[in-house]
Structures are given as structure tokens and as C-alpha cells.
Amino acid sequence: MSLPNQEEKVTPDTFLRGLWEENPVFVMLLGMCPVLAVTNSAINALAMGLATTFVLLCSSSLISLLRKLIPKQVRIATYIVIIATFVTIVDYSIQAISLDLYNALGAFIQLIVVNCMILGRAEAYASKQRLGATLVNGLGMGAGFTIALLCLGAVREILGAGSLFGLPLFGENFQPWVVMILPPGGFFVLGGWLLLFNWYRQRRERKLMEQQGVTARGS
Amino acid sequence: MNQTAATPSREAVATTPSLAMLRTLSLVAAVSGFLVVLAYQTTLPLIEENKRIAIERALFKVIPKAVTRRDFRVTAAGIVAAQDSAAEGTPVYAGYDGEGRLAGVALEAAAQGYQDVIRILYSFDPACQCIRGIEVLKMAETPGIGDKISKDHEFQENFVELDARLKADGSGLANDIVMVKHGSKTEPWQIDAISGATISSQAVARMLNESAQQMFPTIIANLDQLQAAEGGTP
């Protein structure tokens, strides 16, 4: 994991890092509270992912623009105020879009304020990088977060309610596995995804090592 | 040694940029205040509209016979039409059937549930002095357990005709609305709990009893006014 202290050039890697190498959920295990709490259906997961991405993008860009103005003694207070502003905006917007969705997400919209992924991005990236790099990196991180939430939400909804995005998948006789949409189900499914993710990563790394070994011997 | 070590730190304290901190914090606070107010003002009409639609949808669900509705407020003095005065009071919604007869009155009630406040809309039928249906407006109960209060068929049957008769002097309910353990309902004013979701069921019973004790006497006393509001069609 690289945390560059110098200003970084925008490369495809700036975006892709959030999806794979530094995926906030599957690799860094950040923001577990909303990850476990609101992924009981795919639509909740998607809404939460998009809301978090919006807050991440807006707050990171503002922090990046103000980075030379923020004294380091009050940086955390400044970050929190900026993040809280955008969370409030998201909160009102979701109420305006759909009250049902707002009720389903409950207190977790307000809790985006203390999502460690956003604060982490602000501290480790936005406060040191130019606006362009921050935007691209934030978009990648947000997309990674949203995809991870969707992975959890889809599996939990299919197993726990027998539907996806509210559309029933199985016949009338399907007996839903209710525990999957309850909190313990969140841990089970997260554990399953982490297992899959790490197994695949290790396999890829081992292959890479073997390849390098072969080329090293060959030359 | 000690002195030389202390000097730079004192200097560092002295050079802490108070002005810069003040400037940044006030700038950020001003910008964030502006953005929050802007978002609030922009979304307020939309949010109000959404809330109105949600209540309307629930209203026609709890009073199935209703075709039109009128809003009233219950104040200390009695019942007034909502648009007539800006007086503070508990809102009640009267539903009228196709012939303009009062089909029922819908009221909001709320109480603390298992995780958060549960808010419901329920209907009161003055003809039989009973509660005829509830619809959950907002809750955060456990999925699959407490949230059954909005879906469970057996639980909803409690509210097909839940007794809420007034005492002879009209000062309160003749029988308190109470929750009983699952399967032990014997009287028409009892609510049969959902087994495994006692706290959520208890919350529904408590909010109904509280709201009914407080509101029904006024509503019964002013029934003529509610009926007359719809143009006096027989």
C-alpha cells in the first residue's frame, strides 16, 4: 500500500487502486459500520454506496483546494466540518428523492460523517494532492466501496429475502434464509467475500512470483 | 541541555498560527453554513410533498371506504379545520365516502420501539367506536422480527375491529387498549402480540392507547362538525 507524500501524477492506477489494490472494504476493512448495517438489500447498499461516494468526492475536492490554507493543528476539525456539510446535503437530498429509502437507511446516512474511509482519504490523500488526482482517486475509492457494498447487499438479499432489487427471483415456495438479512448474516457474507477475495489475491501473487522466478532463471 | 530543548518548543508555541487557524475555521464554517442552508431551502418543498404523499397513501389504506379527505387539528378548544388557522394542535384526517358521509378519522401515533420511534397512522371509526386499521409510517425495527408489525397478517387482524368505546361520561376509554401474550387474546380491546416481537407489539399497543385516550373524547364530542365540513350531504 503506497501513501505518496509527494504530489502524484494522474495515472490509471490512481483510479484502479480503489477498486482492487486498496479496496476500502475488502482490503483496508474501513467503514465497517455501514457495510454491515445497511447491506440487507441491494437497493440500500447501492444508495449507501452512492451517497458515500458523493460525500467522498465533494469533501476531498474541497479539502484538496483548501490544503494550503488548513493549519495542521485544526485539520481534523476542518475535515469533519466539511464532511458533515456534505452529509447534511445528502441527507436532505435523499429525503427529497424518496422517504422510503430514507427510512430504510435510518441513522446510517448521518453516520457517513464518521466513516473512516472518507476521513482517511482526506488525511492521507486529499490534503497532499492536487484536485485532479484527488477527484480520480476519490472516484475509484467510491466505486470500490459501492461495488463492495453491492456484492454484500445482493448476496444477502438473494439468500435472505429471495429477491434482487425487490424483484422476486424464486417461486412462492422459497423459504427465505432470514438470518442473512439480520446482523449475523452481514458478518457471514462479509467473511465469505473476504475469503474469496484473499484467496484470489494470493493465487495471483503466487503466479506472479513464479513467473518472475522463471524469467529470473531464464536470463 | 534542558534550557536549549525548551527554547525551540516555546518558539513553536509562539509561532502557532492563531490567525491562520481562525481564518480557516471561519471560512470553512461560513461555506458549510451557506451550503447547508441552500440544500435545506431547495429540498424543503420536495420533502414536504413526499411526507404529504406518504400520509395520503396511508390514509386511503386505513380508511378503505374514503374517497376524499379533509385535514383538521385538535386543539385545547376543540376541532378546527387545518387551513383555517395556524393554531398548533394534533393533526387529524377525516375521510369521506362517495356520498360525503364520514367514513372514518385517521390519526398519527408514535412510541419508542425496539430500536427507534415507531410512527403509525391508524383509523378510528366513530360508528362502531373502534380502531379499524394501522399503517406504519416510520420504523427501524429488526428486519424479520419487529418489522412484522407492518406485514404480519395475524397481527393486522387485531385492528379489523379493535374496541375503543368511551366511558359513559366520555372522559376516556372504557377499557384500556393493552397487549397480551401471543394466543391469549380474549377481549376485543386486547392486542395479540407477535411472538418474538413483544417490544414492538407493546409499542403499538401503548401508542394506540395513549393517543386514543387523549383524542377520542374530543373527536366524538365534535363529530357533527367533522360531518358538516363536507358540505352537509346526507
Side-chain angles (χ1 to χ4, degrees), chain A residues 40 62 66 69-71 73-74 77-78 81-82 85-86 88-89 92-93 95-100 103 178 181-182, chain B residues 16-17 20-21 23-25 27-28 32 35-36 39-40 43 46-47 50-51 54 57 137-139 142-144:
Chain A
N40 50 17
L62 197 55
L66 294 174
L69 282 177
I70 302 176
Q73 290 90 341
V74 290
T78 315
V81 171
I82 290 174
T85 306
F86 290 109
T88 313
I89 293 172
Y92 285 133
S93 311
Q95 281 190 62
I97 295 166
S98 160
L99 274 183
D100 290 335
N103 288 340
V178 178
I181 52 173
L182 298 179
Chain B
T16 300
M21 290 200 292
R23 177 202 60 197
T24 307
L25 283 178
L27 176 74
V28 167
S32 90
L35 287 175
V36 166
Y40 178 76
T43 54
L46 289 168
I47 294 172
N50 274 350
K51 282 191 176 151
R57 221 169 36 196
L137 296 176
K138 182 172 190 286
M139 66 169 169
T142 321

Side-chain angles (χ1 to χ4, degrees), chain A residues 71-173:
Chain A
K72 72 173 192 308
Q73 290 90 341
V74 290
R75 67 186 193 283
I76 301 291
T78 315
Y79 300 161
I80 292 283
V81 171
I82 290 174
I83 294 168
T85 306
F86 290 109
V87 170
T88 313
I89 293 172
V90 165
D91 186 283
Y92 285 133
S93 311
I94 292 187
Q95 281 190 62
I97 295 166
S98 160
L99 274 183
D100 290 335
L101 184 62
Y102 183 74
N103 288 340
L105 293 176
F108 294 100
I109 290 291
Q110 286 96 314
L111 283 177
I112 297 177
V113 177
V114 287
N115 189 314
C116 16
M117 180 188 71
I118 297 177
L119 204 57
R121 280 297 96 190
E123 171 76 9
Y125 202 92
S127 59
K128 296 172 189 138
Q129 302 293 340
R130 285 208 197 96
L131 181 63
T134 304
L135 273 175
V136 173
N137 183 268
L139 205 61
M141 282 285 166
F145 189 73
T146 309
I147 290 169
L149 253 66
L150 254 182
C151 288
L152 275 131
V155 170
R156 288 178 70 186
E157 192 180 347
I158 291 170
L159 296 177
S163 58
L164 189 62
F165 287 108
L167 301 169
L169 291 181
F170 310 108
E172 275 286 295
N173 292 325

